[in-house]
Amino acid sequence: MSSTRRGVGLNAFSNAAISSEQYARHGQQLRSNHAEALANQLSVFQAALHNFSLTHAKDIRSNPNFRAEFARMCNAIGVDPLAGSNVKDIRGAGGGAGGVWAKMLGSSVNDFYFELAVRVVEVCRETRGENGGMIAVSDVQKRVAKGRSGLVGGGMDATEDDLLRAIESLQPLGGMFKVQVLGGCKFIRSVPKELNPDQAKVLEVIQILGHVTVSMLQANLDWERARAITVIDDLVADSLVWIDSQAEEPEFWSPGSMHEGG
Amino acid sequence: MAATSPEPSLSAFSTAAYTPSTTAYTPSTTTQATSSSTSTFNFPTYTSFPPFYTLQPNLTTRARQLELWSTLVTSYCAHNRIFRLSLSSLPTDLFNNTHIHRSLKPADIRTVLDHMSKPESGPRIDWVPSTTKGEQSSSCYVYWKTIGEWADALYGWVDDTGQKGAVLTVYELREGDAVRSKDWRDMDEGMLRKVLNALVKRGKAQIFGQEDNAGVKFF
């Protein structure tokens, strides 16, 4: 740097100009070196990741801990393991990033989540008559792990995280499956009809207490009787609750506890 | 739904969440027509769900409820080897759960059985025609195996034991030493007749004589 200190006057000006050009060129050189090194590193990494996912495809499918770690790693480097599966153009630098990952990770990861999504849809369909289309995620998890009735094996060991990811992938189906939180519990809603705030509130209360009566709603939510009855009637009409008429006052239960422990 | 006067105080509000019993419900008394099996019937969890004993007004929910009752009745009868249910003397733990003080009303029991008697349900039960004209039936056969399946089993045994051509009495088929280990032993006579008639129709058997002295020859 001492060279810039000398040269006062016209000489100094041209020196500075030449130096900055030199620096600019040097900087550019560094950048391209770095870029090249990075590109090399990246392609080595890509190849390694691809091989990794191929050799461990079985583990990714069958081991939820492994899968969770794998997903965590992907998220850490800013990549969604499912991204790009729908992308048609996987070439090109622009929107091709996702597709490149999908290629590297192999079809095993995608297959797992798509199969899981199919199972989720099946479970929702099978239980709709019983629960009106609202089923707890934990419930779905148990049923998916059990496998299809009548068939030996084939149960999928999925974490809640996996299930939520699988449901996300169903979005292209037009929003038929949504996750809703009631009383701290996550539910999957598979019917198009949305719950109005009153209905959601009552379901939440039932979720916490197991069942409600009209009196309980009046007393604790400070609702008029008519309002409570209207909401309850709606929930019954949508087969979201079951009625117990052998109690002192009719009780309304969530079907979620019907098969617990079984 | 008559209204009881609401109690506004929060202390009346139960905050205990309903936790269904996870242990198998064991009945205190059993009243079966036939000898009971040695192991206790494992009641599914939904038999501890109070609304299960109320006929659901929503038809979609009701359809599911009837399905569950159908499965319960069939597996209960299979486990306890009950071939015939009589409405006047039903097993005490089938349509009741004393732990939760709930029971299916007689009219609703009939609804369940009617549902099970439909062809699309199997049928899983068959009403025995009432002896009094115009009166509703008060008992039914339970087909935890269908008549066809029983016919196959019976004929298979006859064939395996080389008894084709021999004449066997209905008594022997029901209670004989040779059928001690068979599923159909002590089968209700009326039902056994149906099974034998099915075999007759198939050309696999012929029945001689009447009532108690009836004999059957298998081909």
Side-chain angles (χ1 to χ4, degrees):
Chain A
M1 286 278 205
S2 52
S3 56
T4 54
R5 293 197 190 274
R6 282 204 243 122
V8 186
L10 215 56
N11 234 11
F13 183 73
S14 52
N15 273 347
I18 293 165
S19 303
S20 65
E21 202 201 301
Q22 279 176 329
Y23 282 125
R25 249 185 298 135
H26 189 60
Q28 215 169 22
Q29 184 72 31
L30 280 175
R31 268 198 297 280
S32 71
N33 283 346
H34 282 164
E36 206 183 295
L38 195 62
N40 279 337
Q41 271 188 329
L42 199 61
S43 75
V44 167
F45 178 71
Q46 283 173 354
L49 188 61
H50 185 54
N51 284 335
F52 181 85
S53 75
L54 287 180
T55 52
H56 292 90
K58 211 165 72 95
D59 290 323
I60 292 173
R61 273 191 73 81
S62 62
N63 187 335
N65 285 334
F66 193 90
R67 197 163 53 243
E69 283 303 307
F70 188 75
R72 208 163 58 82
M73 179 182 73
C74 288
N75 285 332
I77 43 181
V79 162
D80 177 357
L82 284 183
S85 44
N86 298 325
V87 173
K88 286 194 167 54
D89 179 19
I90 54 173
R91 297 161 302 148
V100 169
W101 283 109
K103 254 180 49 172
M104 282 195 303
L105 295 172
S107 56
S108 58
V109 177
N110 284 339
D111 284 351
F112 173 82
Y113 286 105
F114 288 150
E115 189 181 339
L116 186 58
V118 168
R119 297 296 183 97
V120 169
V121 171
E122 277 178 359
V123 166
C124 289
R125 216 165 29 111
E126 282 163 8
T127 59
R128 196 167 295 161
E130 202 171 272
N131 58 34
M134 286 286 283
I135 182 169
V137 173
S138 53
D139 226 339
V140 177
Q141 190 177 19
K142 278 190 217 129
R143 286 171 190 266
V144 164
K146 255 204 298 194
R148 294 189 176 99
S149 59
L151 301 176
V152 177
M156 290 180 83
D157 200 0
T159 61
E160 183 181 290
D161 215 48
D162 288 330
L163 289 168
L164 295 176
R165 213 185 291 269
I167 293 160
E168 264 285 315
S169 74
L170 291 171
Q171 289 322 308
L173 286 181
M176 264 292 288
F177 295 83
K178 289 224 162 77
V179 174
Q180 186 161 1
V181 180
L182 290 175
C185 231
K186 292 199 183 75
F187 279 81
I188 299 177
R189 194 183 81 235
S190 56
V191 282
K193 187 163 175 216
E194 289 230 13
L195 296 171
N196 68 37
D198 278 1
Q199 292 165 354
K201 188 94 202 120
V202 173
L203 278 189
E204 218 166 33
V205 174
I206 295 182
Q207 193 47 36
I208 298 166
L209 303 174
H211 65 275
V212 288
T213 61
V214 170
S215 305
M216 278 156 76
L217 293 177
Q218 281 182 268
N220 293 276
L221 299 178
D222 208 15
W223 285 359
E224 295 112 44
R225 194 166 178 75
R227 180 178 178 185
I229 291 177
T230 301
V231 180
I232 288 290
D233 280 349
D234 282 346
L235 293 175
V236 171
D238 288 338
S239 50
L240 288 164
V241 297
W242 286 51
I243 301 180
D244 174 20
S245 62
Q246 293 179 33
E248 263 174 44
E249 193 191 332
E251 291 177 0
F252 304 92
W253 293 68
S254 154
S257 54
M258 214 182 348
H259 299 289
E260 238 158 63
Chain B
M1 296 183 191
T4 53
S5 58
E7 290 170 83
S9 66
L10 275 174
S11 55
F13 197 64
S14 159
T15 49
Y18 167 67
T19 38
S21 157
T22 51
T23 56
Y25 171 63
T26 45
S28 48
T29 59
T30 47
T31 53
Q32 287 97 23
T34 57
S35 56
S36 48
S37 58
T38 46
S39 61
T40 324
F41 180 66
N42 214 5
F43 284 85
T45 315
Y46 56 81
T47 54
S48 298
F49 186 63
F52 189 55
Y53 300 84
T54 301
L55 194 65
Q56 295 300 305
N58 176 302
L59 293 181
T60 309
T61 316
R62 181 184 299 191
R64 177 64 181 144
Q65 182 185 26
L66 290 175
E67 226 181 88
L68 291 172
W69 271 112
S70 179
T71 305
L72 177 65
V73 171
T74 309
S75 50
Y76 179 93
C77 291
H79 186 267
N80 293 304
R81 305 192 66 255
I82 297 174
F83 296 97
R84 180 169 169 154
L85 283 175
S86 170
L87 294 186
S88 53
S89 58
L90 292 165
T92 53
D93 54 357
L94 177 52
F95 296 107
N96 317 290
N97 184 331
T98 50
H99 282 193
I100 59 171
H101 310 290
R102 293 287 183 274
S103 51
L104 203 58
K105 289 200 307 239
D108 297 338
I109 294 176
R110 194 176 275 280
T111 303
V112 168
L113 296 174
D114 274 341
H115 169 80
M116 292 175 74
S117 71
K118 294 203 185 114
E120 50 269 30
S121 301
R124 279 296 176 196
I125 69 122
D126 204 0
W127 287 110
V128 176
S130 166
T131 42
T132 317
K133 236 201 193 149
E135 219 180 68
Q136 260 184 330
S137 168
S138 61
S139 72
C140 60
Y141 296 122
V142 185
Y143 297 153
W144 25 286
K145 281 202 212 261
T146 64
I147 294 291
E149 284 164 350
W150 285 123
D152 289 340
L154 188 62
Y155 187 78
W157 170 75
V158 167
D159 197 10
D160 287 345
T161 50
Q163 295 185 81
K164 276 205 285 196
V167 175
L168 299 161
T169 61
V170 167
Y171 172 84
E172 277 177 304
L173 290 172
R174 279 190 71 235
E175 302 174 59
D177 283 334
V179 300
R180 188 105 311 196
S181 64
K182 293 296 158 199
D183 258 351
W184 65 81
R185 74 165 196 282
D186 298 323
M187 181 185 277
D188 181 281
E189 259 201 62
M191 191 190 238
L192 186 59
R193 292 262 169 194
K194 281 183 183 270
V195 176
L196 294 172
N197 286 335
L199 285 172
V200 168
K201 254 203 209 138
R202 291 188 204 173
K204 302 274 197 194
Q206 200 178 347
I207 306 180
F208 308 92
Q210 299 277 11
E211 301 300 335
D212 293 338
N213 300 320
V216 190
K217 186 169 173 184
F218 297 88
F219 306 113

